[in-house]
Amino acid sequence: MTSPENCIFCKIIANEIPSKKVFEDEALFAFHDISPVAPLHILIIPKKHITSLNELLHEDIDLMGQIVLRASLLAKEFGISDHGYRLVNNCGEFGGQTVHHIHFHLLGGRHLTWPPG
Ligand code: 5GP
Ligand code: ZN
């Protein structure tokens, strides 16, 4: 699997690959998706390289809580909280995960269909 050395999201965190950053603190990084599927499409990632939900450890509980809270705060900041939005994690091949550094898609600004394709 992907290691931090060849991980594109680790490179984005390190500013080795440019991104449109919307938030950063000691634990998290958030930026606009390069191929948005909704009017607002932000990716929220931990700075810690975790490959997917499958590799999550008990020690990552606080980190996951920070991500969910940050999604809520970014949704308010970007004006999508009143109409509603979706926070999505794709895990593994069948989940459609293409980047193997855990990330959460914050999607909003249009009516989202359910179930997803
Ligand atoms: P996944 O399919 O793994 O859940 O989502 C990966 C997401 O990362 C995709 O929505 C894709 O558009 C986005 N992505 C892939 N490479 C880059 C990149 O270099 N920059 C940005 N901003 N987004 C990327
Ligand atoms: Zn990584």
Side-chain angles (χ1 to χ4, degrees), residues 2-11 13 45-51 99-102:
T2 318
S3 65
E5 291 71 39
N6 58 14
C7 169
I8 92 171
F9 284 179
C10 282
K11 289 186 171 145
I13 292 164
I45 66 178
K47 289 187 171 175
K48 177 183 177 186
H49 180 90
I50 301 168
T51 303
V99 176
H100 299 284
H101 179 130
I102 196 169

Side-chain angles (χ1 to χ4, degrees), residues 8-9 12 17-20 31-37 41 43 89-90 95-100 103 105:
I8 92 171
F9 284 179
I12 283 175
I17 294 175
S19 71
K20 290 188 193 167
F31 53 105
H32 288 283
D33 196 290
I34 204 165
S35 305
V37 299
H41 187 168
L43 298 173
N89 172 263
N90 297 327
Q97 183 178 4
T98 59
V99 176
H100 299 284
H103 52 279
H105 300 254

Side-chain angles (χ1 to χ4, degrees), residues 1-103:
M1 262 307 162
T2 318
S3 65
E5 291 71 39
N6 58 14
C7 169
I8 92 171
F9 284 179
C10 282
K11 289 186 171 145
I12 283 175
I13 292 164
N15 271 313
E16 291 165 18
I17 294 175
S19 71
K20 290 188 193 167
K21 179 172 80 173
V22 298
F23 178 80
E24 179 176 12
D25 66 8
E26 62 286 342
L28 304 184
F29 198 93
F31 53 105
H32 288 283
D33 196 290
I34 204 165
S35 305
V37 299
L40 186 73
H41 187 168
I42 287 171
L43 298 173
I44 306 170
I45 66 178
K47 289 187 171 175
K48 177 183 177 186
H49 180 90
I50 301 168
T51 303
S52 79
L53 275 184
N54 282 335
E55 285 71 36
L56 207 61
L57 302 174
H58 197 269
E59 68 189 31
D60 300 320
I61 287 175
D62 180 71
L63 203 46
M64 295 300 106
Q66 288 188 52
I67 286 175
V68 176
L69 178 60
R70 186 52 51 191
S72 165
L73 295 172
L74 286 169
K76 289 189 179 78
E77 180 182 336
F78 282 86
I80 61 167
S81 53
D82 286 349
H83 282 100
Y85 54 91
R86 191 169 289 164
L87 185 63
V88 174
N89 172 263
N90 297 327
C91 178
E93 185 187 350
F94 278 18
Q97 183 178 4
T98 59
V99 176
H100 299 284
H101 179 130
I102 196 169
H103 52 279

